[in-house]
Amino acid sequence: FMLLSETKFDQPCPIRDVLDRIGDQWSLLVIDALAGGTRRFGELTRSVNDISRQMLTKTLKRLEQDGLVKRTVYAEIPPRVDYDLTPLGRSFLVPMRSLVAWADNNHGAIVAARAGYKGGAD
């Protein structure tokens, strides 16, 4: 029996590791765009406003690497590539939507707090 504090992780802190990946500028928007089902690259480009093709490619690769997105290539001419959420990616939709709702509901209070912040000595 080993206490959690005695456990040695080969990876960085699991919470920071996951939140750093999904908390970037584009991942939540891409996941949300895929929530409705399979999309092609061009559809995702149109769905996620202001994302460059290069950044969409990078974001999709990272989400695929993390097991949240599945990429399917069809041997057609021209080649067709579809993107969809994996079961792991779909399991993230509920907490993601809760987080988005919280942010939406509290954004005004956060903006007001920032405006009133005077800063302090550290």
Side-chain angles (χ1 to χ4, degrees), residues 17-29 31 62-63 66 68 92 99:
D17 184 45
V18 171
L19 292 180
D20 284 350
R21 292 296 281 256
I22 60 169
D24 66 22
Q25 184 176 0
W26 301 109
S27 291
L28 292 179
L29 297 172
I31 291 168
R62 290 181 68 170
L63 292 171
D66 288 345
L68 300 172
F92 179 63
L99 176 62

Side-chain angles (χ1 to χ4, degrees), residues 64-120:
E64 185 180 8
Q65 178 184 24
D66 288 345
L68 300 172
V69 169
K70 178 183 173 193
R71 179 177 183 263
T72 305
V73 180
Y74 296 92
E76 300 175 354
I77 298 177
R80 186 178 104 212
V81 181
D82 287 343
Y83 296 91
D84 201 0
L85 292 176
T86 64
L88 181 63
R90 291 217 167 273
S91 76
F92 179 63
L93 292 176
V94 171
M96 182 188 87
R97 288 179 178 147
S98 292
L99 176 62
V100 169
W102 183 90
D104 191 42
N105 290 335
N106 293 286
H107 186 247
I110 292 169
V111 169
R114 287 177 185 161
Y117 180 69
K118 305 280 188 233

